[in-house]
Amino acid sequence: MTGLSVGDALGAQFFVPGPDRFAVSRGETPPAPWPWTDDTEMACVLVHEVLHGDGIDQDRLARAFAERCDPYRGYGPGATRLLHRIRDGVPWPVAAGEAFGGVGSCGNGAAMRVAPLGAWHAGDPAAAARAGLRQAEVTHQHVDGVAGAVAVAAAAAVAAGAAGGVRPAPGALLATAADLLVPCATARALHRAGALLDASPEEAAYELGTGSQSTSQDTVAFALWVADRYLTDYPAAVATCVAAGGDMDTTAAIAGGVVAAYGEVPTAWRDHREPLPDWLPAPTGPLR
Ligand SMILES: [Mg+2]
């Protein structure tokens, strides 16, 4: 949760004019505080759901997403409308199914919030994928909207499973995630990412996209490519997402959440982030 929220909060600092996106790579960051956005708010709701201890209850989760939604945290218009419909009493399968003219959302919102849930299933990417799918369905009914969440959850489970031990081989996170997906645009992007292991970050960003459409298929592959490349270096992972531009809070939330499942977040960065909401219980273990 720390890795996701610090990436989200730092990435979000660069949507206003002023801060130099490339300075983060040199270790320079904006002054505190770094307010977090919808990525963190939804991830906190999901972590809270996991802490109930009885799996993902989709009705309870949908209600909690809707009730906790603070529209000033940067939710997209589609998400705001969907969560309002659920709060008004529309069942989530109806509200999520009618989005975008009935095809459902392929936005990156289900992927941006899921890394801590994946880490909870440390070492079991298949279980992480199933939980990632269940939490995605309540807001995202398009195959790519779900696939992005499945991929990120699986990658985080691999990273968390290796924490304190041998670093997964380059490409392992991407391959595990891609293998758990049905054929779709997000899966194809992950396969392309797996063929770019020797590429520069600029080349990977160009080939895979950086979330400028806010879709799963143009966000998740690059974010997981970054996590795979910089699994032992949290600041480098987040700096790479910020330098690449696009939907920086979301790519940094995904990459940061996955990388922190394996390693550490700098204390100074954590202290710059706005505190997490007080309704989230004190973090322990894999949800730290
Ligand atoms: Mg956001």
Side-chain angles (χ1 to χ4, degrees):
M1 194 59 240
T2 301
L4 183 155
S5 57
V6 169
D8 169 34
L10 178 54
Q13 297 310 298
F14 297 89
F15 287 109
V16 292
D20 174 7
R21 290 202 340 255
F22 301 97
V24 183
S25 306
R26 302 191 297 270
E28 298 164 26
T29 53
W34 304 338
W36 39 262
T37 80
D38 53 335
D39 309 51
T40 294
E41 184 159 83
M42 296 196 98
C44 287
V45 171
L46 184 52
V47 164
H48 196 259
E49 171 64 24
V50 171
L51 292 175
H52 279 100
D54 56 354
I56 303 285
D57 180 318
Q58 290 178 305
D59 297 331
R60 188 171 60 197
L61 179 64
R63 242 184 349 260
F65 280 146
E67 280 164 12
R68 297 289 187 191
C69 171
D70 172 357
Y72 292 101
R73 291 288 182 178
Y75 288 82
T80 305
R81 179 180 147 73
L82 164 65
L83 294 173
H84 277 162
R85 297 269 292 153
I86 293 172
R87 199 159 54 190
D88 289 346
V90 178
W92 64 262
V94 174
E98 71 190 9
F100 295 91
V103 295
S105 173
C106 64
N108 56 27
M112 75 187 183
R113 65 191 184 219
V114 81
L117 173 64
W120 179 260
H121 293 282
D124 191 347
R130 286 192 295 275
L133 182 147
R134 283 181 61 75
Q135 70 82 29
E137 284 178 331
V138 304
T139 49
H140 292 68
Q141 297 267 318
H142 187 288
V143 63
D144 280 295
V146 175
V150 167
V152 173
V158 173
V166 178
R167 184 204 198 284
L173 267 63
L174 293 167
T176 302
D179 287 350
L180 284 160
L181 299 187
V182 297
C184 61
T186 303
R188 289 194 292 278
L190 281 167
H191 285 296
R192 278 206 304 284
L196 291 168
L197 297 184
D198 298 322
S200 67
E202 294 77 13
E203 197 178 344
Y206 178 80
E207 290 290 332
L208 303 172
T210 55
S212 55
Q213 311 289 321
S214 297
T215 62
S216 166
Q217 52 270 41
D218 87 330
T219 303
V220 169
F222 177 69
L224 291 184
W225 181 93
V226 169
D228 191 274
R229 165 71 62 92
Y230 299 107
L231 190 60
T232 60
D233 190 342
Y234 181 90
V238 171
T240 301
C241 292
V242 170
D247 193 356
M248 294 170 280
D249 59 321
T250 294
T251 53
I254 294 172
V258 172
V259 170
Y262 179 75
E264 297 293 325
V265 178
T267 310
W269 285 25
R270 192 193 61 207
D271 292 345
H272 276 56
R273 185 213 57 212
E274 173 192 7
L276 295 178
D278 53 13
W279 48 261
L280 187 69
T284 53
L287 296 172
R288 74 191 187 285

